[in-house]
Amino acid sequence: MSEMQFLAKGIALAGCGIGAGCALIAGIGPGIGEGNAAAKALEAIGRQPECKGDVTSTMLLGCAIAETTGIYGFVTGLLLIFVAPGMFMGYLG
């Protein structure tokens, strides 16, 4: 293996690691958003207890949709950690 191939493989692995770290940061946003949604739902239920069912179902739907962004980031991070390095090593020789 030449020195250039060794350097290219190192750069590819470093890029995969940095990209995976950035992708996994995507889990912070849904956590904060879901916490805020739950807090506001509890506040709304505290003010009008008779609308508990409507507020709860709407909050759960919103949290489920918000969670998909965290799941996409997690899957992207896993792909960058486990799949992409093997693909890059195959391309680099």
Side-chain angles (χ1 to χ4, degrees):
M1 179 182 334
S2 71
E3 188 174 322
M4 289 300 284
Q5 284 180 327
F6 186 72
L7 181 63
K9 287 184 178 187
I11 291 172
L13 289 174
C16 287
I18 292 169
C22 290
L24 293 177
I25 289 175
I28 294 172
I32 293 171
E34 290 171 22
N36 286 338
K40 295 297 181 179
L42 290 173
E43 186 178 317
I45 292 170
R47 290 180 186 204
Q48 288 187 330
E50 65 274 1
C51 68
K52 178 182 178 185
D54 293 336
V55 171
T56 303
S57 62
T58 305
M59 182 202 64
L60 289 175
L61 179 64
C63 286
I65 292 171
E67 188 64 30
T68 59
T69 59
I71 293 171
Y72 291 148
F74 180 67
V75 169
T76 302
L78 287 178
L79 289 173
L80 284 171
I81 291 170
F82 294 111
V83 177
M87 292 175 56
F88 284 133
M89 296 309 118
Y91 293 143
L92 295 174

